[in-house]
Amino acid sequence: MRRIRILLIGALVTAISGCQVKEESTQLTSTELQHLFSERTVESYNLVNGSSSFTYYKNDGKVLQKRYWEKRSGSWRITDNMICLQMEHKSESCRAVYLEGDRYYKYRTDDQGQPQKIIRYRQFLTGNRI
């Protein structure tokens, strides 16, 4: 009886570990980024500090954002499969966006040169919703 129980537990552990599926992630291309962000209000959740923001990406390269209950503006562009943002009085930053399962994430490179998820995009709404 004890041997059967051990075999069943071993089979269960094997079955459970066999179910662990590593999520595939795919970096979005410049064309995909343009389609996803252009003329949309995007809700972003910052995975580092827990804040949310809403950003409207205009076709003309301008961007409007509401963050911490304040509005700010800047510019955006797509280059080399990355989205680049430059907000008021800040330098431009370009980041890769990946699709993981059914969620979109923006990454940056951390101090050790490793990719770090920083933003989860929650929704993409048509038009200016700010």
Side-chain angles (χ1 to χ4, degrees):
M1 183 72 147
R2 184 170 182 212
R3 184 169 187 202
I4 293 172
R5 187 178 303 166
I6 290 170
L7 288 173
L8 288 175
I9 291 171
L12 180 60
V13 169
T14 302
I16 291 172
S17 64
C19 290
Q20 295 176 1
V21 177
K22 185 173 182 180
E23 275 192 89
E24 295 294 322
S25 64
T26 306
Q27 183 176 357
L28 273 62
T29 65
S30 293
T31 302
E32 291 168 326
L33 289 167
Q34 189 72 37
H35 178 74
L36 190 61
F37 286 88
S38 188
E39 288 299 316
R40 299 197 192 272
T41 299
V42 180
E43 180 184 4
S44 304
Y45 176 73
N46 188 308
L47 299 167
V48 177
N49 65 24
S51 66
S52 290
S53 63
F54 290 87
T55 308
Y56 174 56
Y57 296 83
K58 296 170 72 173
N59 272 339
D60 66 1
K62 302 294 183 198
V63 68
L64 303 171
Q65 186 176 77
K66 191 168 186 181
R67 186 177 77 154
Y68 303 124
W69 302 278
E70 294 181 8
K71 288 185 180 180
R72 63 185 194 155
S73 61
S75 61
W76 75 289
R77 66 188 180 101
I78 304 292
T79 185
D80 298 326
N81 299 327
M82 291 189 285
I83 187 166
C84 302
L85 282 172
Q86 182 176 13
M87 301 307 285
E88 305 168 332
H89 313 294
K90 302 279 183 179
S91 59
E92 181 183 66
S93 64
C94 298
R95 308 277 191 241
V97 176
Y98 286 81
L99 176 61
E100 297 179 13
D102 62 350
R103 295 182 176 183
Y104 294 95
Y105 293 96
K106 181 162 60 172
Y107 280 77
R108 72 173 172 202
T109 304
D110 68 14
D111 296 338
Q112 288 75 39
Q114 298 300 311
Q116 176 188 23
K117 268 185 210 178
I118 56 170
I119 298 291
R120 178 178 149 218
Y121 294 108
R122 288 185 167 161
Q123 55 184 332
F124 298 86
L125 307 168
T126 304
N128 183 355
R129 305 285 182 100
I130 295 179

PDB file of all heavy atoms in Angstrom, residues 49-84:
ATOM      1  N   ASN A  49       6.383  51.044  -9.474  1.00  0.00           N
ATOM      2  CA  ASN A  49       5.849  51.859  -8.372  1.00  0.00           C
ATOM      3  C   ASN A  49       4.338  51.713  -8.165  1.00  0.00           C
ATOM      4  O   ASN A  49       3.769  52.343  -7.284  1.00  0.00           O
ATOM      5  CB  ASN A  49       6.224  53.334  -8.555  1.00  0.00           C
ATOM      6  CG  ASN A  49       5.597  53.952  -9.782  1.00  0.00           C
ATOM      7  OD1 ASN A  49       4.571  53.500 -10.284  1.00  0.00           O
ATOM      8  ND2 ASN A  49       6.221  55.015 -10.288  1.00  0.00           N
ATOM      9  N   GLY A  50       3.671  50.922  -8.987  1.00  0.00           N
ATOM     10  CA  GLY A  50       2.249  50.655  -8.800  1.00  0.00           C
ATOM     11  C   GLY A  50       1.305  51.751  -9.262  1.00  0.00           C
ATOM     12  O   GLY A  50       0.118  51.700  -8.982  1.00  0.00           O
ATOM     13  N   SER A  51       1.805  52.718 -10.007  1.00  0.00           N
ATOM     14  CA  SER A  51       0.937  53.808 -10.485  1.00  0.00           C
ATOM     15  C   SER A  51       0.343  53.473 -11.841  1.00  0.00           C
ATOM     16  O   SER A  51       0.868  52.643 -12.581  1.00  0.00           O
ATOM     17  CB  SER A  51       1.729  55.113 -10.577  1.00  0.00           C
ATOM     18  OG  SER A  51       2.720  55.017 -11.582  1.00  0.00           O
ATOM     19  N   SER A  52      -0.762  54.134 -12.155  1.00  0.00           N
ATOM     20  CA  SER A  52      -1.401  53.998 -13.463  1.00  0.00           C
ATOM     21  C   SER A  52      -1.386  55.342 -14.167  1.00  0.00           C
ATOM     22  O   SER A  52      -1.398  56.393 -13.527  1.00  0.00           O
ATOM     23  CB  SER A  52      -2.853  53.529 -13.313  1.00  0.00           C
ATOM     24  OG  SER A  52      -2.889  52.201 -12.870  1.00  0.00           O
ATOM     25  N   SER A  53      -1.369  55.293 -15.481  1.00  0.00           N
ATOM     26  CA  SER A  53      -1.455  56.520 -16.269  1.00  0.00           C
ATOM     27  C   SER A  53      -2.265  56.223 -17.527  1.00  0.00           C
ATOM     28  O   SER A  53      -2.421  55.072 -17.934  1.00  0.00           O
ATOM     29  CB  SER A  53      -0.064  57.039 -16.636  1.00  0.00           C
ATOM     30  OG  SER A  53       0.611  56.110 -17.456  1.00  0.00           O
ATOM     31  N   PHE A  54      -2.783  57.292 -18.113  1.00  0.00           N
ATOM     32  CA  PHE A  54      -3.506  57.214 -19.379  1.00  0.00           C
ATOM     33  C   PHE A  54      -2.789  58.128 -20.356  1.00  0.00           C
ATOM     34  O   PHE A  54      -2.542  59.295 -20.048  1.00  0.00           O
ATOM     35  CB  PHE A  54      -4.961  57.640 -19.207  1.00  0.00           C
ATOM     36  CG  PHE A  54      -5.766  56.658 -18.417  1.00  0.00           C
ATOM     37  CD1 PHE A  54      -5.806  56.723 -17.040  1.00  0.00           C
ATOM     38  CD2 PHE A  54      -6.472  55.644 -19.058  1.00  0.00           C
ATOM     39  CE1 PHE A  54      -6.541  55.805 -16.300  1.00  0.00           C
ATOM     40  CE2 PHE A  54      -7.207  54.726 -18.331  1.00  0.00           C
ATOM     41  CZ  PHE A  54      -7.245  54.805 -16.944  1.00  0.00           C
ATOM     42  N   THR A  55      -2.457  57.595 -21.532  1.00  0.00           N
ATOM     43  CA  THR A  55      -1.692  58.351 -22.514  1.00  0.00           C
ATOM     44  C   THR A  55      -2.388  58.258 -23.865  1.00  0.00           C
ATOM     45  O   THR A  55      -2.734  57.164 -24.316  1.00  0.00           O
ATOM     46  CB  THR A  55      -0.259  57.793 -22.626  1.00  0.00           C
ATOM     47  OG1 THR A  55       0.315  57.718 -21.319  1.00  0.00           O
ATOM     48  CG2 THR A  55       0.594  58.679 -23.508  1.00  0.00           C
ATOM     49  N   TYR A  56      -2.568  59.436 -24.489  1.00  0.00           N
ATOM     50  CA  TYR A  56      -3.156  59.488 -25.824  1.00  0.00           C
ATOM     51  C   TYR A  56      -2.037  59.735 -26.831  1.00  0.00           C
ATOM     52  O   TYR A  56      -1.307  60.721 -26.744  1.00  0.00           O
ATOM     53  CB  TYR A  56      -4.197  60.592 -25.907  1.00  0.00           C
ATOM     54  CG  TYR A  56      -4.752  60.805 -27.294  1.00  0.00           C
ATOM     55  CD1 TYR A  56      -5.342  59.763 -27.997  1.00  0.00           C
ATOM     56  CD2 TYR A  56      -4.689  62.051 -27.894  1.00  0.00           C
ATOM     57  CE1 TYR A  56      -5.847  59.950 -29.272  1.00  0.00           C
ATOM     58  CE2 TYR A  56      -5.204  62.253 -29.166  1.00  0.00           C
ATOM     59  CZ  TYR A  56      -5.770  61.196 -29.850  1.00  0.00           C
ATOM     60  OH  TYR A  56      -6.270  61.386 -31.107  1.00  0.00           O
ATOM     61  N   TYR A  57      -1.901  58.813 -27.790  1.00  0.00           N
ATOM     62  CA  TYR A  57      -0.860  58.860 -28.811  1.00  0.00           C
ATOM     63  C   TYR A  57      -1.460  59.381 -30.108  1.00  0.00           C
ATOM     64  O   TYR A  57      -2.154  58.659 -30.818  1.00  0.00           O
ATOM     65  CB  TYR A  57      -0.271  57.464 -29.028  1.00  0.00           C
ATOM     66  CG  TYR A  57       0.436  56.914 -27.816  1.00  0.00           C
ATOM     67  CD1 TYR A  57      -0.274  56.277 -26.795  1.00  0.00           C
ATOM     68  CD2 TYR A  57       1.814  57.025 -27.695  1.00  0.00           C
ATOM     69  CE1 TYR A  57       0.382  55.773 -25.674  1.00  0.00           C
ATOM     70  CE2 TYR A  57       2.482  56.516 -26.573  1.00  0.00           C
ATOM     71  CZ  TYR A  57       1.749  55.898 -25.572  1.00  0.00           C
ATOM     72  OH  TYR A  57       2.397  55.400 -24.472  1.00  0.00           O
ATOM     73  N   LYS A  58      -1.198  60.662 -30.424  1.00  0.00           N
ATOM     74  CA  LYS A  58      -1.753  61.275 -31.632  1.00  0.00           C
ATOM     75  C   LYS A  58      -0.948  60.859 -32.866  1.00  0.00           C
ATOM     76  O   LYS A  58       0.244  60.588 -32.778  1.00  0.00           O
ATOM     77  CB  LYS A  58      -1.717  62.801 -31.481  1.00  0.00           C
ATOM     78  CG  LYS A  58      -2.591  63.311 -30.342  1.00  0.00           C
ATOM     79  CD  LYS A  58      -2.375  64.775 -30.056  1.00  0.00           C
ATOM     80  CE  LYS A  58      -2.959  65.631 -31.143  1.00  0.00           C
ATOM     81  NZ  LYS A  58      -2.907  67.075 -30.809  1.00  0.00           N
ATOM     82  N   ASN A  59      -1.639  60.835 -34.014  1.00  0.00           N
ATOM     83  CA  ASN A  59      -0.982  60.480 -35.283  1.00  0.00           C
ATOM     84  C   ASN A  59       0.175  61.411 -35.634  1.00  0.00           C
ATOM     85  O   ASN A  59       1.104  61.006 -36.325  1.00  0.00           O
ATOM     86  CB  ASN A  59      -1.990  60.507 -36.436  1.00  0.00           C
ATOM     87  CG  ASN A  59      -2.701  59.177 -36.598  1.00  0.00           C
ATOM     88  OD1 ASN A  59      -2.227  58.147 -36.146  1.00  0.00           O
ATOM     89  ND2 ASN A  59      -3.842  59.212 -37.245  1.00  0.00           N
ATOM     90  N   ASP A  60       0.112  62.663 -35.186  1.00  0.00           N
ATOM     91  CA  ASP A  60       1.136  63.639 -35.553  1.00  0.00           C
ATOM     92  C   ASP A  60       2.393  63.550 -34.686  1.00  0.00           C
ATOM     93  O   ASP A  60       3.280  64.392 -34.788  1.00  0.00           O
ATOM     94  CB  ASP A  60       0.564  65.061 -35.515  1.00  0.00           C
ATOM     95  CG  ASP A  60       0.175  65.519 -34.114  1.00  0.00           C
ATOM     96  OD1 ASP A  60       0.359  64.761 -33.132  1.00  0.00           O
ATOM     97  OD2 ASP A  60      -0.332  66.655 -33.987  1.00  0.00           O
ATOM     98  N   GLY A  61       2.486  62.530 -33.811  1.00  0.00           N
ATOM     99  CA  GLY A  61       3.676  62.361 -32.981  1.00  0.00           C
ATOM    100  C   GLY A  61       3.600  63.044 -31.624  1.00  0.00           C
ATOM    101  O   GLY A  61       4.540  62.964 -30.839  1.00  0.00           O
ATOM    102  N   LYS A  62       2.499  63.701 -31.348  1.00  0.00           N
ATOM    103  CA  LYS A  62       2.308  64.330 -30.035  1.00  0.00           C
ATOM    104  C   LYS A  62       1.654  63.339 -29.090  1.00  0.00           C
ATOM    105  O   LYS A  62       0.939  62.424 -29.503  1.00  0.00           O
ATOM    106  CB  LYS A  62       1.433  65.588 -30.139  1.00  0.00           C
ATOM    107  CG  LYS A  62       1.976  66.637 -31.061  1.00  0.00           C
ATOM    108  CD  LYS A  62       3.269  67.210 -30.545  1.00  0.00           C
ATOM    109  CE  LYS A  62       3.738  68.322 -31.483  1.00  0.00           C
ATOM    110  NZ  LYS A  62       5.143  68.634 -31.293  1.00  0.00           N
ATOM    111  N   VAL A  63       1.885  63.526 -27.805  1.00  0.00           N
ATOM    112  CA  VAL A  63       1.309  62.650 -26.801  1.00  0.00           C
ATOM    113  C   VAL A  63       0.779  63.501 -25.643  1.00  0.00           C
ATOM    114  O   VAL A  63       1.377  64.516 -25.286  1.00  0.00           O
ATOM    115  CB  VAL A  63       2.349  61.605 -26.318  1.00  0.00           C
ATOM    116  CG1 VAL A  63       3.472  62.220 -25.529  1.00  0.00           C
ATOM    117  CG2 VAL A  63       1.719  60.522 -25.502  1.00  0.00           C
ATOM    118  N   LEU A  64      -0.383  63.108 -25.136  1.00  0.00           N
ATOM    119  CA  LEU A  64      -0.971  63.735 -23.949  1.00  0.00           C
ATOM    120  C   LEU A  64      -1.093  62.650 -22.892  1.00  0.00           C
ATOM    121  O   LEU A  64      -1.498  61.528 -23.199  1.00  0.00           O
ATOM    122  CB  LEU A  64      -2.348  64.310 -24.252  1.00  0.00           C
ATOM    123  CG  LEU A  64      -2.429  65.325 -25.387  1.00  0.00           C
ATOM    124  CD1 LEU A  64      -3.892  65.631 -25.701  1.00  0.00           C
ATOM    125  CD2 LEU A  64      -1.685  66.585 -25.013  1.00  0.00           C
ATOM    126  N   GLN A  65      -0.771  63.001 -21.655  1.00  0.00           N
ATOM    127  CA  GLN A  65      -0.804  61.990 -20.601  1.00  0.00           C
ATOM    128  C   GLN A  65      -1.422  62.549 -19.331  1.00  0.00           C
ATOM    129  O   GLN A  65      -1.227  63.711 -18.994  1.00  0.00           O
ATOM    130  CB  GLN A  65       0.620  61.511 -20.297  1.00  0.00           C
ATOM    131  CG  GLN A  65       0.680  60.355 -19.316  1.00  0.00           C
ATOM    132  CD  GLN A  65       2.101  59.860 -19.138  1.00  0.00           C
ATOM    133  OE1 GLN A  65       2.878  60.497 -18.444  1.00  0.00           O
ATOM    134  NE2 GLN A  65       2.432  58.746 -19.777  1.00  0.00           N
ATOM    135  N   LYS A  66      -2.166  61.687 -18.639  1.00  0.00           N
ATOM    136  CA  LYS A  66      -2.697  62.010 -17.318  1.00  0.00           C
ATOM    137  C   LYS A  66      -2.095  60.999 -16.355  1.00  0.00           C
ATOM    138  O   LYS A  66      -2.317  59.795 -16.482  1.00  0.00           O
ATOM    139  CB  LYS A  66      -4.214  61.940 -17.293  1.00  0.00           C
ATOM    140  CG  LYS A  66      -4.816  62.509 -16.045  1.00  0.00           C
ATOM    141  CD  LYS A  66      -6.306  62.676 -16.184  1.00  0.00           C
ATOM    142  CE  LYS A  66      -6.850  63.399 -14.957  1.00  0.00           C
ATOM    143  NZ  LYS A  66      -8.289  63.564 -15.052  1.00  0.00           N
ATOM    144  N   ARG A  67      -1.287  61.512 -15.423  1.00  0.00           N
ATOM    145  CA  ARG A  67      -0.584  60.680 -14.452  1.00  0.00           C
ATOM    146  C   ARG A  67      -0.534  61.422 -13.130  1.00  0.00           C
ATOM    147  O   ARG A  67      -0.263  62.620 -13.100  1.00  0.00           O
ATOM    148  CB  ARG A  67       0.830  60.412 -14.964  1.00  0.00           C
ATOM    149  CG  ARG A  67       1.625  59.454 -14.123  1.00  0.00           C
ATOM    150  CD  ARG A  67       2.970  59.212 -14.745  1.00  0.00           C
ATOM    151  NE  ARG A  67       3.820  60.366 -14.471  1.00  0.00           N
ATOM    152  CZ  ARG A  67       5.132  60.331 -14.411  1.00  0.00           C
ATOM    153  NH1 ARG A  67       5.769  59.221 -14.656  1.00  0.00           N
ATOM    154  NH2 ARG A  67       5.822  61.411 -14.139  1.00  0.00           N
ATOM    155  N   TYR A  68      -0.791  60.721 -12.051  1.00  0.00           N
ATOM    156  CA  TYR A  68      -0.847  61.362 -10.726  1.00  0.00           C
ATOM    157  C   TYR A  68      -1.803  62.550 -10.735  1.00  0.00           C
ATOM    158  O   TYR A  68      -1.525  63.588 -10.169  1.00  0.00           O
ATOM    159  CB  TYR A  68       0.537  61.806 -10.249  1.00  0.00           C
ATOM    160  CG  TYR A  68       1.562  60.711 -10.182  1.00  0.00           C
ATOM    161  CD1 TYR A  68       2.769  60.827 -10.883  1.00  0.00           C
ATOM    162  CD2 TYR A  68       1.357  59.579  -9.428  1.00  0.00           C
ATOM    163  CE1 TYR A  68       3.723  59.836 -10.824  1.00  0.00           C
ATOM    164  CE2 TYR A  68       2.310  58.572  -9.368  1.00  0.00           C
ATOM    165  CZ  TYR A  68       3.489  58.704 -10.062  1.00  0.00           C
ATOM    166  OH  TYR A  68       4.435  57.708 -10.009  1.00  0.00           O
ATOM    167  N   TRP A  69      -2.931  62.422 -11.428  1.00  0.00           N
ATOM    168  CA  TRP A  69      -3.988  63.437 -11.521  1.00  0.00           C
ATOM    169  C   TRP A  69      -3.515  64.726 -12.179  1.00  0.00           C
ATOM    170  O   TRP A  69      -4.158  65.758 -12.077  1.00  0.00           O
ATOM    171  CB  TRP A  69      -4.584  63.730 -10.145  1.00  0.00           C
ATOM    172  CG  TRP A  69      -5.141  62.496  -9.524  1.00  0.00           C
ATOM    173  CD1 TRP A  69      -6.363  61.933  -9.764  1.00  0.00           C
ATOM    174  CD2 TRP A  69      -4.503  61.644  -8.590  1.00  0.00           C
ATOM    175  NE1 TRP A  69      -6.513  60.780  -9.035  1.00  0.00           N
ATOM    176  CE2 TRP A  69      -5.377  60.577  -8.290  1.00  0.00           C
ATOM    177  CE3 TRP A  69      -3.257  61.652  -7.956  1.00  0.00           C
ATOM    178  CZ2 TRP A  69      -5.060  59.556  -7.415  1.00  0.00           C
ATOM    179  CZ3 TRP A  69      -2.941  60.630  -7.084  1.00  0.00           C
ATOM    180  CH2 TRP A  69      -3.840  59.601  -6.821  1.00  0.00           C
ATOM    181  N   GLU A  70      -2.396  64.681 -12.868  1.00  0.00           N
ATOM    182  CA  GLU A  70      -1.896  65.853 -13.582  1.00  0.00           C
ATOM    183  C   GLU A  70      -1.730  65.513 -15.051  1.00  0.00           C
ATOM    184  O   GLU A  70      -1.404  64.389 -15.409  1.00  0.00           O
ATOM    185  CB  GLU A  70      -0.542  66.302 -13.014  1.00  0.00           C
ATOM    186  CG  GLU A  70      -0.632  66.822 -11.595  1.00  0.00           C
ATOM    187  CD  GLU A  70       0.720  67.273 -11.072  1.00  0.00           C
ATOM    188  OE1 GLU A  70       1.700  67.325 -11.849  1.00  0.00           O
ATOM    189  OE2 GLU A  70       0.801  67.576  -9.871  1.00  0.00           O
ATOM    190  N   LYS A  71      -1.959  66.520 -15.905  1.00  0.00           N
ATOM    191  CA  LYS A  71      -1.764  66.339 -17.342  1.00  0.00           C
ATOM    192  C   LYS A  71      -0.375  66.824 -17.725  1.00  0.00           C
ATOM    193  O   LYS A  71       0.128  67.802 -17.171  1.00  0.00           O
ATOM    194  CB  LYS A  71      -2.825  67.107 -18.127  1.00  0.00           C
ATOM    195  CG  LYS A  71      -4.196  66.479 -18.025  1.00  0.00           C
ATOM    196  CD  LYS A  71      -5.187  67.196 -18.913  1.00  0.00           C
ATOM    197  CE  LYS A  71      -6.561  66.542 -18.791  1.00  0.00           C
ATOM    198  NZ  LYS A  71      -7.532  67.226 -19.642  1.00  0.00           N
ATOM    199  N   ARG A  72       0.219  66.130 -18.679  1.00  0.00           N
ATOM    200  CA  ARG A  72       1.504  66.553 -19.239  1.00  0.00           C
ATOM    201  C   ARG A  72       1.526  66.161 -20.705  1.00  0.00           C
ATOM    202  O   ARG A  72       0.685  65.382 -21.164  1.00  0.00           O
ATOM    203  CB  ARG A  72       2.692  65.977 -18.466  1.00  0.00           C
ATOM    204  CG  ARG A  72       2.808  64.490 -18.471  1.00  0.00           C
ATOM    205  CD  ARG A  72       3.956  64.042 -17.554  1.00  0.00           C
ATOM    206  NE  ARG A  72       4.288  62.646 -17.797  1.00  0.00           N
ATOM    207  CZ  ARG A  72       5.452  62.100 -17.548  1.00  0.00           C
ATOM    208  NH1 ARG A  72       6.414  62.830 -17.035  1.00  0.00           N
ATOM    209  NH2 ARG A  72       5.670  60.833 -17.799  1.00  0.00           N
ATOM    210  N   SER A  73       2.466  66.706 -21.439  1.00  0.00           N
ATOM    211  CA  SER A  73       2.519  66.444 -22.875  1.00  0.00           C
ATOM    212  C   SER A  73       3.944  66.101 -23.291  1.00  0.00           C
ATOM    213  O   SER A  73       4.891  66.259 -22.521  1.00  0.00           O
ATOM    214  CB  SER A  73       2.006  67.645 -23.659  1.00  0.00           C
ATOM    215  OG  SER A  73       2.814  68.767 -23.392  1.00  0.00           O
ATOM    216  N   GLY A  74       4.063  65.649 -24.520  1.00  0.00           N
ATOM    217  CA  GLY A  74       5.365  65.292 -25.049  1.00  0.00           C
ATOM    218  C   GLY A  74       5.235  64.811 -26.476  1.00  0.00           C
ATOM    219  O   GLY A  74       4.300  65.183 -27.186  1.00  0.00           O
ATOM    220  N   SER A  75       6.166  63.960 -26.862  1.00  0.00           N
ATOM    221  CA  SER A  75       6.148  63.415 -28.223  1.00  0.00           C
ATOM    222  C   SER A  75       6.460  61.913 -28.180  1.00  0.00           C
ATOM    223  O   SER A  75       6.996  61.411 -27.207  1.00  0.00           O
ATOM    224  CB  SER A  75       7.159  64.144 -29.103  1.00  0.00           C
ATOM    225  OG  SER A  75       8.470  63.980 -28.603  1.00  0.00           O
ATOM    226  N   TRP A  76       6.065  61.256 -29.273  1.00  0.00           N
ATOM    227  CA  TRP A  76       6.332  59.834 -29.390  1.00  0.00           C
ATOM    228  C   TRP A  76       6.684  59.501 -30.822  1.00  0.00           C
ATOM    229  O   TRP A  76       6.345  60.235 -31.752  1.00  0.00           O
ATOM    230  CB  TRP A  76       5.141  59.001 -28.903  1.00  0.00           C
ATOM    231  CG  TRP A  76       3.964  58.946 -29.838  1.00  0.00           C
ATOM    232  CD1 TRP A  76       3.102  59.976 -30.124  1.00  0.00           C
ATOM    233  CD2 TRP A  76       3.536  57.833 -30.617  1.00  0.00           C
ATOM    234  NE1 TRP A  76       2.151  59.544 -31.019  1.00  0.00           N
ATOM    235  CE2 TRP A  76       2.391  58.232 -31.337  1.00  0.00           C
ATOM    236  CE3 TRP A  76       3.990  56.525 -30.772  1.00  0.00           C
ATOM    237  CZ2 TRP A  76       1.717  57.374 -32.204  1.00  0.00           C
ATOM    238  CZ3 TRP A  76       3.306  55.669 -31.628  1.00  0.00           C
ATOM    239  CH2 TRP A  76       2.191  56.104 -32.324  1.00  0.00           C
ATOM    240  N   ARG A  77       7.392  58.388 -30.979  1.00  0.00           N
ATOM    241  CA  ARG A  77       7.723  57.886 -32.303  1.00  0.00           C
ATOM    242  C   ARG A  77       8.069  56.407 -32.192  1.00  0.00           C
ATOM    243  O   ARG A  77       8.311  55.893 -31.094  1.00  0.00           O
ATOM    244  CB  ARG A  77       8.881  58.662 -32.932  1.00  0.00           C
ATOM    245  CG  ARG A  77      10.197  58.474 -32.217  1.00  0.00           C
ATOM    246  CD  ARG A  77      11.269  59.425 -32.774  1.00  0.00           C
ATOM    247  NE  ARG A  77      12.529  59.247 -32.076  1.00  0.00           N
ATOM    248  CZ  ARG A  77      13.565  58.551 -32.547  1.00  0.00           C
ATOM    249  NH1 ARG A  77      13.492  57.991 -33.741  1.00  0.00           N
ATOM    250  NH2 ARG A  77      14.682  58.439 -31.858  1.00  0.00           N
ATOM    251  N   ILE A  78       8.068  55.738 -33.324  1.00  0.00           N
ATOM    252  CA  ILE A  78       8.428  54.327 -33.408  1.00  0.00           C
ATOM    253  C   ILE A  78       9.706  54.236 -34.225  1.00  0.00           C
ATOM    254  O   ILE A  78       9.795  54.824 -35.303  1.00  0.00           O
ATOM    255  CB  ILE A  78       7.317  53.508 -34.097  1.00  0.00           C
ATOM    256  CG1 ILE A  78       5.968  53.672 -33.398  1.00  0.00           C
ATOM    257  CG2 ILE A  78       7.725  52.045 -34.206  1.00  0.00           C
ATOM    258  CD1 ILE A  78       5.870  53.083 -32.038  1.00  0.00           C
ATOM    259  N   THR A  79      10.682  53.498 -33.709  1.00  0.00           N
ATOM    260  CA  THR A  79      11.918  53.273 -34.452  1.00  0.00           C
ATOM    261  C   THR A  79      12.539  51.945 -34.031  1.00  0.00           C
ATOM    262  O   THR A  79      12.516  51.604 -32.848  1.00  0.00           O
ATOM    263  CB  THR A  79      12.920  54.428 -34.246  1.00  0.00           C
ATOM    264  OG1 THR A  79      14.055  54.217 -35.078  1.00  0.00           O
ATOM    265  CG2 THR A  79      13.369  54.565 -32.809  1.00  0.00           C
ATOM    266  N   ASP A  80      13.059  51.211 -34.991  1.00  0.00           N
ATOM    267  CA  ASP A  80      13.768  49.952 -34.721  1.00  0.00           C
ATOM    268  C   ASP A  80      12.996  49.022 -33.777  1.00  0.00           C
ATOM    269  O   ASP A  80      13.556  48.488 -32.817  1.00  0.00           O
ATOM    270  CB  ASP A  80      15.159  50.231 -34.138  1.00  0.00           C
ATOM    271  CG  ASP A  80      16.039  51.002 -35.106  1.00  0.00           C
ATOM    272  OD1 ASP A  80      15.920  50.783 -36.326  1.00  0.00           O
ATOM    273  OD2 ASP A  80      16.834  51.843 -34.636  1.00  0.00           O
ATOM    274  N   ASN A  81      11.706  48.854 -34.024  1.00  0.00           N
ATOM    275  CA  ASN A  81      10.843  47.973 -33.224  1.00  0.00           C
ATOM    276  C   ASN A  81      10.756  48.398 -31.759  1.00  0.00           C
ATOM    277  O   ASN A  81      10.580  47.554 -30.872  1.00  0.00           O
ATOM    278  CB  ASN A  81      11.300  46.515 -33.326  1.00  0.00           C
ATOM    279  CG  ASN A  81      11.247  45.996 -34.742  1.00  0.00           C
ATOM    280  OD1 ASN A  81      10.390  46.389 -35.529  1.00  0.00           O
ATOM    281  ND2 ASN A  81      12.168  45.128 -35.096  1.00  0.00           N
ATOM    282  N   MET A  82      10.856  49.692 -31.522  1.00  0.00           N
ATOM    283  CA  MET A  82      10.722  50.231 -30.161  1.00  0.00           C
ATOM    284  C   MET A  82       9.829  51.467 -30.195  1.00  0.00           C
ATOM    285  O   MET A  82       9.780  52.170 -31.201  1.00  0.00           O
ATOM    286  CB  MET A  82      12.082  50.591 -29.574  1.00  0.00           C
ATOM    287  CG  MET A  82      12.943  49.385 -29.280  1.00  0.00           C
ATOM    288  SD  MET A  82      14.417  49.805 -28.356  1.00  0.00           S
ATOM    289  CE  MET A  82      15.408  50.560 -29.639  1.00  0.00           C
ATOM    290  N   ILE A  83       9.159  51.712 -29.078  1.00  0.00           N
ATOM    291  CA  ILE A  83       8.384  52.937 -28.919  1.00  0.00           C
ATOM    292  C   ILE A  83       9.235  53.911 -28.114  1.00  0.00           C
ATOM    293  O   ILE A  83       9.832  53.544 -27.095  1.00  0.00           O
ATOM    294  CB  ILE A  83       7.011  52.679 -28.259  1.00  0.00           C
ATOM    295  CG1 ILE A  83       6.180  53.967 -28.267  1.00  0.00           C
ATOM    296  CG2 ILE A  83       7.148  52.077 -26.873  1.00  0.00           C
ATOM    297  CD1 ILE A  83       4.712  53.761 -27.966  1.00  0.00           C
ATOM    298  N   CYS A  84       9.322  55.140 -28.604  1.00  0.00           N
ATOM    299  CA  CYS A  84      10.132  56.173 -27.957  1.00  0.00           C
ATOM    300  C   CYS A  84       9.209  57.273 -27.444  1.00  0.00           C
ATOM    301  O   CYS A  84       8.315  57.723 -28.168  1.00  0.00           O
ATOM    302  CB  CYS A  84      11.133  56.770 -28.941  1.00  0.00           C
ATOM    303  SG  CYS A  84      12.248  55.545 -29.680  1.00  0.00           S
TER     304      CYS A  84
END
